[in-house]
């Protein structure tokens, strides 16, 4: 990797793109915090009006399964920047990155148990070990492996979906899920102890499977895609080839949105349960292309006046994305569980979406304020200290 790459200044548009991904993640995650029937394909008795169903469909269509992939792509891209930084500093990269992964795993485990059972940091830490083994891989080969991984994982879900169509519908699935949902309401509105116990229960029963076998293969594929483009410095100046960005939008948006619509529709309460897996398979297959199309469209928008101003707002939030991701969970846990107001199952889908927008609207200027005074976000500072084995600067140097 070239010395020029190692000395490359921080890219504000990459931080803005990371902030954009962070907002999308919050819109999805708040549904898990707020609703016992979220993503279950079972009608929510409290929130089943046409408006509620429409908002849920909208979130599933445009947000679910897309933004964690965009974040994963940026994780892979940042991996190459960390490799370049270690090379420029003349230190071994692998021990540095392993310490970073240990820090992510510890933070993720605490996050999952205390605040949000859908945490993805532990999954990133595990997949990061595999990415470390790929650090000398040719970029073209990495991109081909990413495509194969997406194709094979999607094919596996297509087969499972086809089998579900051929087999009988699950017996009493709705009744069983309603009983579990009522139990979760009691737990999350109970005490901090019952909230933590419910997190552990969900982690052990279903969440680990979703993180490792639904999100995991696709997240790692995006790691590899980000690594491949990072090795080629594709985001150092993405506008040097605007035709490529426009081509990605043209080729990806329509099939991606169509696949996402099939996914969102298959999860509606009105749809039969047997259509859920086929819809998921189609959505998973098209989501990576749609995520990269989002990224291309976002980068093109940054060249406009309004887009440039939006990027300036998003960049600080993206620069301290890990701190903001964890803070989102702390705020949501305070709003919806026994850590605070106990609003679990008590707000509408539209209200939850508005709350997500409000949280992020506060995080953007708060991030800018913090970074005017500090070199890193608070959690980023801890993780960097662990990574380099030294205390980095806490306060921002004043010029």
């Amino acid at each position: 990797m070239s010395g020029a790459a190692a000395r490359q200044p921080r890219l504000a548009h990459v931080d803005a793109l990371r902030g954009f991904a962070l907002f999308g993640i919050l819109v999805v995650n708040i549904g898990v915090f707020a609703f016992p029937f979220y993503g279950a394909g079972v009608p929510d008795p409290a929130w089943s009006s046409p408006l509620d169903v429409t908002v849920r469909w909208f979130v599933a269509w445009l947000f679910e399964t897309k933004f964690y992939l965009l974040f994963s792509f940026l994780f892979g891209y940042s991996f190459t920047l960390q490799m370049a930084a270690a090379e420029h500093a003349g230190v071994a990269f692998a021990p540095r990155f392993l310490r970073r992964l240990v820090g992510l795993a510890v933070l993720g485990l605490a996050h999952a148990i205390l605040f949000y059972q859908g945490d993805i940091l532990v999954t990133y830490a595990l997949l990061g070990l595999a990415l470390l083994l790929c650090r000398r891989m040719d970029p073209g080969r990495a991109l081909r492996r990413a495509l194969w991984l997406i194709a094979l994982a999607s094919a596996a879900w297509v087969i499972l979906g086809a089998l579900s169509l051929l087999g009988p519908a699950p017996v009493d699935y709705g009744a069983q899920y309603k009983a579990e949902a009522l139990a979760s309401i009691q737990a999350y509105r109970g005490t901090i102890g019952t909230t933590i116990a419910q997190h552990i229960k969900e982690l052990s029963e279903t969440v680990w499977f979703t993180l490792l076998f639904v999100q995991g293969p696709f997240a790692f594929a995006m790691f590899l895609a980000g690594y491949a483009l990072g090795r080629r410095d594709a985001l150092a100046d993405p506008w040097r080839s605007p035709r490529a960005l426009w081509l990605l939008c043209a080729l990806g948006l329509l099939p991606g949105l169509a696949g996402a619509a099939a996914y969102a529709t298959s999860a509606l309460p009105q749809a039969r349960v047997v259509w859920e897996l086929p819809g998921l398979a189609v959505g998973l297959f098209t989501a990576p292309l749609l995520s990269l199309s989002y990224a291309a469209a976002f980068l093109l928008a940054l060249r406009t006046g309004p887009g440039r101003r939006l990027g300036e707002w998003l960049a600080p939030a993206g620069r301290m994305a890990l701190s903001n991701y964890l803070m989102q969970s702390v705020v949501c846990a305070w709003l919806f569980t026994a850590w605070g107001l106990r609003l679990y199952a008590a707000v509408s889908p539209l209200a939850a979406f508005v709350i997500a927008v409000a949280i992020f609207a506060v995080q953007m200027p708060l991030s800018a304020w913090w970074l005017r005074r500090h070199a890193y976000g608070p959690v980023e500072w801890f993780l960097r200290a662990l990574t380099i084995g030294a205390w980095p600067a806490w306060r921002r140097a004043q010029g």
Side-chain angles (χ1 to χ4, degrees):
M1 196 165 294
S2 69
R7 293 187 292 272
Q8 180 176 284
R10 191 171 187 101
L11 302 175
H13 57 276
V14 175
D15 286 330
L17 186 58
R18 191 177 290 110
F20 174 60
L22 187 67
F23 169 69
I25 289 171
L26 173 59
V27 170
V28 175
N29 287 355
I30 202 168
V32 182
F33 277 104
F35 306 112
F37 293 89
Y38 186 76
V42 176
D44 187 334
W47 307 108
S48 57
S49 72
L51 177 60
D52 297 328
V53 173
T54 299
V55 171
R56 281 204 176 98
W57 188 90
F58 173 81
V59 171
W61 179 42
L62 295 182
F63 290 89
E64 287 181 15
T65 75
K66 288 84 174 172
F67 284 89
Y68 86 90
L69 292 178
L70 180 53
F71 210 81
S72 301
F73 169 81
L74 293 170
F75 184 96
Y77 192 90
S78 297
F79 175 80
T80 65
L81 301 182
Q82 294 166 40
M83 289 173 60
E87 180 182 335
H88 181 60
V91 298
F93 172 68
R96 271 190 168 198
F97 193 66
L98 286 171
R99 289 195 296 269
R100 188 177 188 87
L101 294 181
V102 169
L104 278 178
V106 171
L107 287 169
L109 190 60
H111 178 224
I113 292 173
L114 294 175
F115 301 113
Y116 179 52
Q117 70 278 22
D119 167 83
I120 203 171
L121 298 181
V122 175
T123 303
Y124 273 21
L126 295 174
L127 296 177
L129 293 172
L131 184 61
L132 185 62
L133 297 176
C134 300
R135 67 187 183 278
R136 295 185 179 89
M137 187 179 292
D138 175 76
R141 186 181 181 191
L143 199 55
R144 289 192 296 273
R145 289 197 172 185
L147 294 173
W148 272 110
L149 185 55
I150 291 170
L152 291 174
S154 299
W157 282 104
V158 167
I159 293 171
L160 289 174
L163 292 175
S164 72
L165 288 175
L166 296 174
V171 178
D172 293 332
Y173 170 78
Q176 179 184 351
Y177 196 93
K178 286 179 182 178
E180 293 175 356
L182 291 174
S184 71
I185 293 173
Q186 291 183 339
Y188 286 129
R189 290 182 179 179
T191 66
I192 292 175
T194 61
T195 294
I196 292 173
Q198 183 67 18
H199 286 161
I200 295 172
K201 177 178 181 292
E202 293 180 19
L203 281 166
S204 62
E205 291 181 354
T206 57
V207 173
W208 68 270
F209 180 86
T210 300
L211 292 175
L212 291 180
F213 296 104
V214 180
Q215 294 182 338
F218 296 92
F220 188 68
M222 297 300 277
F223 278 12
L224 291 176
Y227 164 83
L229 270 67
R231 288 288 301 273
R232 293 171 174 169
D233 290 331
L235 294 184
D237 182 11
W239 304 285
R240 65 190 171 195
S241 181
R243 183 176 300 177
L245 296 177
W246 281 110
L247 184 63
L248 185 54
C249 289
L251 294 178
L253 278 176
L254 287 181
L257 290 172
Y263 161 76
T265 303
S266 70
L268 288 173
Q270 295 88 338
R272 292 175 58 203
V273 173
V274 293
W275 288 106
E276 192 169 352
L277 279 181
L280 176 64
V282 172
L284 290 175
F285 180 69
T286 57
L289 187 58
L290 184 55
S291 296
L292 293 177
S293 298
Y294 278 1
F298 180 82
L299 290 171
L300 288 169
L302 288 181
R303 304 302 278 179
T304 68
R308 189 177 298 109
R309 288 190 289 274
L310 177 62
E312 291 171 355
W313 277 85
L314 287 169
R319 185 174 169 185
M320 48 185 287
L322 182 56
S323 294
N324 282 322
Y325 170 69
L326 295 174
M327 183 54 66
Q328 288 169 0
S329 293
V330 171
V331 172
C332 287
W334 180 80
L335 288 171
F336 295 107
T337 74
W339 283 102
L341 300 181
R342 297 178 172 88
L343 294 177
Y344 187 64
V347 300
S348 70
L350 181 59
F353 180 82
V354 171
I355 290 171
V357 172
I359 291 172
F360 197 73
V362 172
Q363 284 189 311
M364 287 190 291
L366 186 62
S367 299
W369 172 84
W370 178 273
L371 290 173
R372 282 196 294 269
R373 293 160 176 79
H374 301 85
Y376 307 96
V379 184
E380 286 78 8
W381 181 88
F382 162 77
L383 200 59
R384 180 165 176 78
L386 189 63
T387 300
I388 66 176
W391 298 116
W394 174 252
R395 302 291 296 187
R396 184 180 179 88
Q398 301 298 319

